[in-house]
Amino acid sequence: HSLPAAAAGQLTRLVDALAAEPDPHTTVTDLAAALDVHIADSLSGLEVAELRDADRIADLGAGAGFPGLVLAIALPAARVDLIESARRKVAVIDRLARAAQVPNARSVVARAEEWARTPPALGAGREAYDAVTARAVAPLAVLVEYAAPLLRMSGVLVAWKGARSPAEEGRGRGAADEGGLALADVLRVEPFEGARNRHLHVYRKVAPTPERLPRRPGMAAKRPLG
């Protein structure tokens, strides 16, 4: 992935800190497993050129910090906001970011819907990002509603998924039509030996997102678009 010279040390500190973390919010903390499941899998997102070139990235439902922290290490010129509503998870993100010395990563305690309603003048939100990432967060239709208002025109949503589901992809296309996005690609990736059914779903913003989106918190999951 042509990582910067400092990345190897940062990634090592990151997985060491995860292994020592008392409240990791992930079942994969063993060093060898974490290198595959968290680091290599996160780096697979760099297969998407628009993500590699992004200046501002939002990682939705960041959990313990993946892929957001790894992408921030791989892309030191980018600013990466890790958006997570659970304060305990945000505390983990902050500890891991300090341990790995990742100055271009910032945690945000908010729901995606709330953050998308925050004007850029207040530090973020609507139409502020070149790329939005989401790994094991929600169905595609839900992710599309979360991401669309956050993206600038021509920005991309990159969603990490497993085996392809025609039904889920169909609902995702319907939601994309409503949100101003269009499916650009579905990339089959093999981030590490033994990985199966890994796909990156890439949506591009092609039209303005209606002001009514996102709906109030919880509605995207309860009644998905499409």
Side-chain angles (χ1 to χ4, degrees):
H1 296 294
S2 301
L3 299 182
Q10 289 176 287
L11 292 172
T12 298
R13 290 191 292 272
L14 179 61
V15 292
D16 285 345
L18 180 65
E21 170 59 45
D23 187 29
H25 293 278
T26 172
T27 59
V28 181
T29 58
D30 172 76
L31 176 60
L35 286 172
D36 281 346
V37 174
H38 293 314
I39 305 303
D41 196 39
S42 295
L43 289 174
S44 69
L46 299 180
E47 296 289 333
V48 180
E50 294 90 343
L51 182 56
R52 291 197 309 269
D53 296 337
D55 292 322
R56 291 200 63 188
I57 300 168
D59 183 25
L60 300 182
F66 304 99
L69 290 177
V70 176
L71 293 174
I73 290 170
L75 304 169
R79 174 178 167 181
V80 182
D81 288 341
L82 291 91
I83 301 169
E84 173 55 58
S85 62
R87 291 185 178 275
R88 285 180 60 190
K89 294 180 182 179
V90 168
V92 174
I93 291 170
D94 290 342
R95 287 193 290 270
L96 295 182
R98 285 194 299 270
Q101 299 173 9
V102 191
N104 58 320
R106 174 179 69 158
S107 63
V108 176
V109 184
R111 294 184 63 123
E113 303 98 324
E114 297 165 344
W115 195 239
R117 291 290 183 189
T118 303
L122 297 181
R126 196 172 188 92
E127 299 180 350
Y129 297 97
D130 304 299
V132 171
T133 60
R135 179 174 177 254
V137 174
L140 290 170
V142 177
L143 295 178
V144 164
E145 181 170 350
Y146 289 166
L150 294 169
L151 287 169
R152 296 168 176 159
M153 194 63 68
S154 298
V156 295
L157 162 65
V158 183
W160 275 245
K161 287 286 180 177
R164 297 187 64 172
S165 165
E168 182 182 1
E169 291 179 29
R171 289 189 289 270
R173 283 192 296 272
D177 289 342
E178 292 193 48
L181 303 188
L183 182 65
D185 208 351
V186 181
L187 300 176
R188 174 78 169 90
V189 294
E190 296 183 11
F192 53 89
E193 186 176 353
R196 295 185 178 182
N197 296 321
R198 295 291 202 280
H199 293 86
L200 300 175
H201 295 250
V202 184
Y203 293 83
R204 180 174 290 110
K205 187 161 184 175
V206 296
T209 299
E211 286 295 326
R212 65 182 178 84
L213 299 179
R215 292 170 291 172
R216 67 179 185 273
M219 288 299 295
K222 186 176 181 180
R223 290 204 275 275
L225 298 175

